[in-house]
Amino acid sequence: MSKNKKPTKWMKLDNAALIYPATMNRNWTALFRLSATLTEPIDEDILEVAQKRTLRRLPWFAYRLKHGLFWFYLEHSDDLPKIEKDVANPCVRMRLNENDGFCMRVRYYQNRIAVEFFHVLTDGTGGQVFLQTLVAEYLRLKYSVNIPRGDKILDCSEEPKPEEAEDSFAVYSGKITQTRKEVKAYHINGTDERNGFVHIITGSMNADDVLAKAREKSVSVTEYLTAALILSVDAIQRRKVPSIHKYKPVKLSVPINLRNVFPSKTLRNFANYVNPGIDPRLGEYTFDETLNIVHHTMAMEVTKKLLNVKITTNVRSERNTVLRLTPLFIKNMALKYVYSQVGDVLSSTTISNLGVARLPEEMAQYVRRMDFILGPLADNRVCCAALTYHNRLRINFTRTIAEPWLEREFFTRLVKLGIPVKVESNQRE
Amino acid sequence: MSYCVNCGVELQKSEPRCPLCGTEVINPNELKEEKPIRPYPAHVEHLDKNIDRRYIASFVSLLLLIPLFTAMLANILVSKQLTWSYLVLGGELVLFTVFLLPMIARMPKILYAVIDASAVSVLLLLIRVLTQSSWRWFLLLGLPITLLTTVMCWFFAMMTLPKCKIPVLIRFTFALTCIGLLVVAIDFFISLYKNAIAWPTWSLYVLFPCLVLASSLLILNRRARVKEELKKRFYF
């Protein structure tokens, strides 16, 4: 797309996004949410203008999901999504017809701006660029502050760049594929929450404390948290399942940002998953043993070559002629079946760590806090997401069952490991 | 600053009780403080209620009464008695037991198969009575084929259960063999009904391809590499 040309009016879903519209239903959409809490209450009018300018720079987020004969596709809209007031249960399913067909929604409450994205559009990294650009634009309009722009905070006076909308899976796929077959994992079950209330419990801690603990064991923060979470799920299984012979593996799905491995500038989905875990039937694992397993699984699987094989497997399935020629309604059924076999079922829960959000000083003085929340998953009833900002690591647990077993097990474990945790939640009074 | 005495975590001021264990927070030093702002608003966005399949199935069952009563009324008005409308009753009974009953009543799965087979048998019986034909076709053709087909459907249903540990290729082998044998059995009963020698004829054209395919799958199942390749190729 050359300069001055309007953005493409429609685009195909990227390879990772294909599964989400097929698996969505009237009560569940694959969502995630990023939010920034500012120092002053939000002005809705200014936010609306900021959103308009951000969408002009990032038109990839103003696309509507449409049905084709063979595939879903995204169609650009010149309209703007409505700014909404926030609700008590974030990431509750997105009704596309009520949202004017848009796959994202901007919500505000007190000092907080939150953007909820349907996964067909983007992943956490792309979402973070959108939120940071939106907040920068809001602050510029409200306080006339001059915020330096770059890769993470885009300049809204610039034209959109085509590489930002690239399907990088197709670009970086290779020749060799592998089977997706894996052993199914243990799932935490509990009492269904009436009306589908989504519980959020946020645990915040000093990021330096966690980093120091992780360094002590020569692992990364993500690996440290993953090991603690694996043992927390393991403890729940040991309490709930009476016989050792009925224990299932405890595995966690850890999303990997492929932009760190492949030189992509895309703002659409470009992530893959690694599922490190333990087999509790073999005995009780110590924290150090679990850390060791997680660390080495990650080291072994997060390599350019192995990730390339995983990407290729997915891209090959998409290019299968029979699948391509199958009408969408049949394809949806097939994809639903595939997801039931190789989706959430392979992991006990998900832990997504977006890393550290760094804002320029001009902007950081107005932004008090940033959060990352995963929407409820299809089969797993609890999942969590982490983001560090201003030296506070915030881990947000999302739960669709009444019992906070995993959160309690995890946060008390961190306290026992010597990391003080402060919690807050969306519990009803 | 309050801590949960049970969990050891610090609680944000907005928390009326520990979200991890439900223990109430009472800090004697902070009793008179203003109510802090909650991290989320009070308004809850509700989900649609789940589709009540049982309710819908009961409703459709009631709707089925309309064509039944219409048929009966027409039957009485024209013939002055109930005759052919019994066939509508039998047909609707089969429809109800096969599609609607599993949504309305929960019972052991084997019972569904028994009830479905009974409903089909009742329909066949009604046909026999109304057409005033002999018992021969009912006993030699209708009933055995219905029972055999039910047993086979039950067998297939068991094999598709997630609990089933039999490898997929072996399941297909069983399924193909069963289809072949069912066709032979149908051929046998037809021959018996015709008073002919009960020796399979046309059904062999179905049986042999089924057996050949089944044995090929059996052989493929022994080759781990081919099996893996098939899994990959047929993955969709």
Side-chain angles (χ1 to χ4, degrees):
Chain A
M1 189 171 57
S2 69
K3 220 178 170 184
N4 301 327
K5 251 192 179 176
K6 279 193 173 177
T8 328
K9 280 292 177 190
W10 73 278
M11 57 186 185
K12 294 176 187 173
L13 298 189
D14 61 66
N15 180 264
L18 291 172
I19 198 84
Y20 298 116
T23 50
M24 69 190 268
N25 60 44
R26 47 207 282 284
N27 282 335
W28 180 75
T29 330
L31 297 176
F32 65 91
R33 162 178 167 132
L34 283 152
S35 63
T37 308
L38 309 187
T39 47
E40 284 181 26
I42 305 301
D43 184 324
E44 188 183 342
D45 297 333
I46 298 178
L47 183 60
E48 202 171 339
V49 181
Q51 181 195 239
K52 189 178 177 184
R53 288 186 54 83
T54 311
L55 284 176
R56 200 166 58 197
R57 173 64 186 84
L58 291 164
W60 335 113
F61 290 86
Y63 273 71
R64 288 172 166 150
L65 185 69
K66 298 274 178 184
H67 289 80
L69 182 62
F70 296 108
W71 293 104
F72 282 99
Y73 63 93
L74 291 165
E75 190 180 70
H76 184 258
S77 167
D78 292 327
D79 300 336
L80 292 170
K82 278 182 285 202
I83 304 283
E84 297 172 14
K85 290 204 167 110
D86 207 357
V87 293
N89 46 340
C91 287
V92 71
R93 58 90 188 85
M94 188 181 273
R95 257 200 220 117
L96 295 180
N97 52 351
E98 279 183 10
N99 203 34
D100 292 334
F102 287 105
C103 300
M104 55 154 266
R105 58 189 176 205
V106 178
R107 290 179 157 177
Y108 73 98
Y109 171 67
Q110 304 272 354
N111 300 4
R112 184 176 61 213
I113 300 173
V115 192
E116 293 182 0
F117 301 92
F118 183 15
H119 240 308
V120 289
L121 283 186
T122 185
D123 57 10
T125 311
Q128 207 178 1
V129 172
F130 182 88
L131 176 77
Q132 289 179 183
T133 308
L134 175 74
V135 173
E137 209 49 33
Y138 175 85
L139 293 174
R140 189 187 69 80
L141 290 166
K142 188 161 186 192
Y143 303 106
S144 306
V145 56
N146 189 18
I147 296 165
R149 308 297 170 111
D151 284 349
K152 300 273 179 184
I153 305 167
L154 303 178
D155 185 352
C156 292
S157 60
E158 281 180 1
E159 285 294 312
K161 292 176 183 160
E163 63 266 26
E164 290 164 359
E166 169 190 273
D167 178 4
S168 295
F169 291 106
V171 176
Y172 296 103
S173 72
K175 289 192 172 110
I176 303 301
T177 60
Q178 68 174 21
T179 176
R180 295 182 183 87
K181 191 93 179 163
E182 264 188 59
V183 190
K184 290 179 183 173
Y186 169 70
H187 284 236
I188 299 167
N189 289 313
T191 319
D192 268 331
E193 196 47 72
R194 275 192 309 138
N195 296 325
F197 188 80
V198 180
H199 293 272
I200 306 290
I201 295 185
T202 310
S204 75
M205 55 213 83
N206 188 309
D208 283 343
D209 285 354
V210 188
L211 188 64
K213 291 279 174 194
R215 289 262 164 86
E216 220 173 80
K217 304 280 183 189
S218 310
V219 296
S220 71
V221 169
T222 308
E223 288 164 359
Y224 193 85
L225 296 175
T226 306
L229 194 57
I230 287 177
L231 286 182
S232 306
V233 179
D234 181 38
I236 294 170
Q237 176 167 225
R238 285 180 194 278
R239 272 206 307 270
K240 301 264 158 224
V241 182
S243 161
I244 192 168
H245 299 290
K246 289 187 177 171
Y247 286 175
K248 284 186 180 170
V250 173
K251 294 190 288 173
L252 256 57
S253 174
V254 184
I256 304 296
N257 182 7
L258 294 175
R259 294 168 191 86
N260 297 335
V261 186
F262 301 95
S264 167
K265 292 222 156 119
T266 188
L267 295 179
R268 296 174 72 192
N269 286 297
F270 197 41
N272 212 305
Y273 298 86
V274 173
N275 297 335
I278 56 170
D279 189 344
R281 287 172 306 172
L282 309 181
E284 291 214 23
Y285 286 76
T286 63
F287 186 58
D288 283 350
E289 276 175 332
T290 315
L291 260 183
N292 205 21
I293 291 170
V294 174
H295 179 65
H296 288 102
T297 310
M298 301 289 271
M300 207 169 68
E301 293 203 22
V302 185
T303 62
K304 201 169 182 174
K305 290 185 177 64
L306 265 181
L307 288 170
N308 179 270
V309 171
K310 282 190 173 182
I311 294 175
T312 311
T313 310
N314 293 339
V315 172
R316 279 286 171 84
S317 307
E318 181 193 343
R319 288 182 182 161
N320 182 306
T321 317
V322 180
L323 184 72
R324 278 161 63 191
L325 290 173
T326 310
L328 186 62
F329 72 96
I330 298 173
K331 202 178 281 164
N332 280 348
M333 288 190 267
L335 287 173
K336 259 187 189 147
Y337 173 73
V338 170
Y339 194 72
S340 72
Q341 297 300 305
V342 295
D344 280 358
V345 77
L346 301 182
S347 60
S348 307
T349 180
T350 298
I351 178 165
S352 180
N353 186 5
L354 258 191
V356 184
R358 286 191 184 86
L359 301 180
E361 192 43 47
E362 294 86 338
M363 187 173 167
Q365 59 178 312
Y366 295 100
V367 183
R368 241 179 42 213
R369 155 179 183 174
M370 291 184 92
D371 280 87
F372 176 35
I373 299 176
L374 280 185
L377 303 178
D379 295 326
N380 282 324
R381 313 305 299 272
V382 198
C383 61
C384 71
L387 179 64
T388 304
Y389 175 70
H390 266 183
N391 201 32
R392 289 302 286 178
L393 167 64
R394 286 194 174 80
I395 304 174
N396 280 291
F397 274 85
T398 309
R399 170 169 45 91
T400 51
I401 49 172
E403 299 83 1
W405 292 320
L406 185 59
E407 293 96 314
R408 182 160 196 270
E409 197 65 48
F410 179 70
F411 288 133
T412 50
R413 189 172 292 273
L414 288 186
V415 171
K416 280 178 204 156
L417 285 167
I419 302 168
V421 180
K422 189 174 189 177
V423 294
E424 69 173 18
S425 71
N426 67 341
Q427 65 176 314
R428 290 163 282 188
E429 283 186 53
Chain B
M1 193 194 297
S2 304
Y3 282 83
C4 172
V5 289
N6 214 10
C7 306
V9 293
E10 190 187 336
L11 300 166
Q12 191 68 266
K13 280 186 179 172
S14 55
E15 297 304 314
R17 55 191 177 276
C18 174
L20 304 178
C21 67
T23 306
E24 213 168 317
V25 184
I26 301 165
N27 187 338
N29 297 330
E30 292 175 2
L31 282 176
K32 285 177 189 169
E33 280 197 5
E34 272 182 35
K35 225 178 174 187
I37 297 169
R38 304 274 297 134
Y40 293 89
H43 173 67
V44 179
E45 191 175 342
H46 289 293
L47 289 180
D48 302 332
K49 281 184 182 151
N50 284 333
I51 297 171
D52 189 347
R53 284 168 190 266
R54 196 173 171 182
Y55 174 78
I56 291 177
S58 313
F59 185 70
V60 173
S61 309
L62 274 178
L63 286 183
L64 281 179
L65 293 177
I66 298 173
L68 179 65
F69 286 142
T70 315
M72 282 180 162
L73 192 68
N75 195 192
I76 289 173
L77 287 175
V78 176
S79 318
K80 309 286 180 207
Q81 59 175 333
L82 287 176
T83 52
W84 54 267
S85 57
Y86 281 120
L87 292 179
V88 181
L89 177 71
E92 287 199 0
L93 187 70
V94 173
L95 204 70
F96 174 78
T97 53
V98 174
F99 297 106
L100 300 172
L101 189 66
M103 289 196 246
I104 294 172
R106 281 173 184 247
M107 54 178 97
K109 289 189 176 71
I110 184 86
L111 265 182
Y112 291 124
V114 173
I115 293 172
D116 289 349
S118 314
V120 174
S121 307
V122 168
L123 177 66
L124 294 175
L125 200 64
L126 282 171
I127 294 171
R128 195 218 70 82
V129 172
L130 290 167
T131 52
Q132 291 173 347
S133 53
S134 72
W135 282 96
R136 243 177 83 76
W137 75 262
F138 176 74
L139 292 172
L140 288 180
L141 217 55
L143 205 57
I145 292 174
T146 306
L147 291 178
L148 269 177
T149 314
T150 309
V151 170
M152 210 181 70
C153 287
W154 167 249
F155 185 57
F156 286 171
M158 285 294 102
M159 282 202 299
T160 53
L161 285 181
K163 280 181 197 166
C164 181
K165 300 277 180 208
I166 306 167
V168 180
L169 288 180
I170 302 285
R171 281 189 240 176
F172 274 105
T173 309
F174 279 146
L176 282 167
T177 316
C178 285
I179 291 170
L181 291 176
L182 178 73
V183 175
V184 172
I186 291 172
D187 189 7
F188 171 79
F189 286 118
I190 292 173
S191 309
L192 212 63
Y193 174 68
K194 285 178 171 169
N195 281 330
I197 306 159
W199 182 250
T201 51
W202 55 268
S203 59
L204 294 178
Y205 293 107
V206 182
L207 179 69
F208 285 127
C210 281
L211 287 180
V212 171
L213 269 174
S215 35
S216 321
L217 291 178
L218 211 58
I219 293 164
L220 282 177
N221 188 54
R222 295 166 65 90
R223 297 285 297 271
R225 205 171 55 83
V226 181
K227 224 167 97 175
E228 191 59 32
E229 194 62 24
L230 276 174
K231 253 186 208 168
K232 204 166 75 179
R233 299 270 171 189
F234 283 91
Y235 180 81
F236 52 90

